[in-house]
Amino acid sequence: MNIEQVKSSTYRITLHTYELAALVSAARWAVDGAEGELPREARQQLSQILAGYDAKMEQMSKPEAKS
């Protein structure tokens, strides 16, 4: 995952195919009523994506990252 801040309120996010697939799957699951349990593999993928997202956002919030 790569996150770039293009403007103050615009970001460019580059995702691996599997990262995008996990996000779309989770969104579909949530939209379809989120009944039942999310498969373990999907939870793991989403956890990894969220960890990458959080790390990039933290990195971008540091003053030296914006120069």
Side-chain angles (χ1 to χ4, degrees), residues 15-28:
L15 299 172
H16 186 278
T17 301
Y18 293 131
E19 293 169 330
L20 179 59
L23 289 173
V24 170
S25 294
R28 289 185 194 282

Side-chain angles (χ1 to χ4, degrees), residues 40-51:
R40 183 179 56 83
E41 295 82 9
R43 280 195 314 273
Q44 289 174 336
Q45 287 178 336
L46 287 171
S47 292
Q48 291 172 352
I49 291 168
L50 289 171

Side-chain angles (χ1 to χ4, degrees), residues 42-62:
R43 280 195 314 273
Q44 289 174 336
Q45 287 178 336
L46 287 171
S47 292
Q48 291 172 352
I49 291 168
L50 289 171
Y53 173 82
D54 291 341
K56 288 292 185 177
M57 292 305 289
E58 183 177 332
Q59 180 183 12
M60 289 178 58
S61 69
K62 295 179 182 175

